[in-house]
Amino acid sequence: MSATNDLIKQALALPPGERIELIERVLNSLDQPDEAIDKLWAEEAERRLEDYRSGKMESVSMEDVMAKYSVK
């Protein structure tokens, strides 16, 4: 059995509250700032804003978005 499988087995044996804490800590460890990704998102946001202001891109109302993705 691999180390990962051992850890999963141990995690599943924990009480629910401790499993939640474990999950939160693992997820938080992945949520770290990444300057390269932040820079790419900033550039993309600027490009989209420029396209919107120049008329290359139209906006969509929040109501239309919610209607499109609402569960019926």
Side-chain angles (χ1 to χ4, degrees):
M1 191 178 280
S2 73
T4 301
N5 287 336
D6 288 340
L7 287 172
I8 291 170
K9 186 176 179 180
Q10 291 173 18
L12 293 175
L14 294 170
E18 290 182 30
R19 279 185 282 171
I20 290 170
E21 181 182 353
L22 175 63
I23 290 167
E24 288 177 346
R25 291 179 71 178
V26 169
L27 289 175
N28 286 338
S29 75
L30 297 172
D31 190 22
Q32 300 297 317
D34 184 321
E35 290 183 26
I37 292 173
D38 291 345
K39 182 176 185 275
L40 289 172
W41 272 115
E43 290 169 358
E44 178 66 13
E46 290 292 331
R47 184 193 61 77
R48 290 181 188 192
L49 180 59
E50 184 178 318
D51 286 352
Y52 172 74
R53 287 181 174 163
S54 69
K56 292 179 186 175
M57 180 190 307
E58 295 181 9
S59 65
V60 177
S61 73
M62 179 66 142
E63 290 80 17
D64 289 345
V65 171
M66 295 306 291
K68 180 177 180 178
Y69 294 104
S70 67
V71 177
K72 297 180 182 185

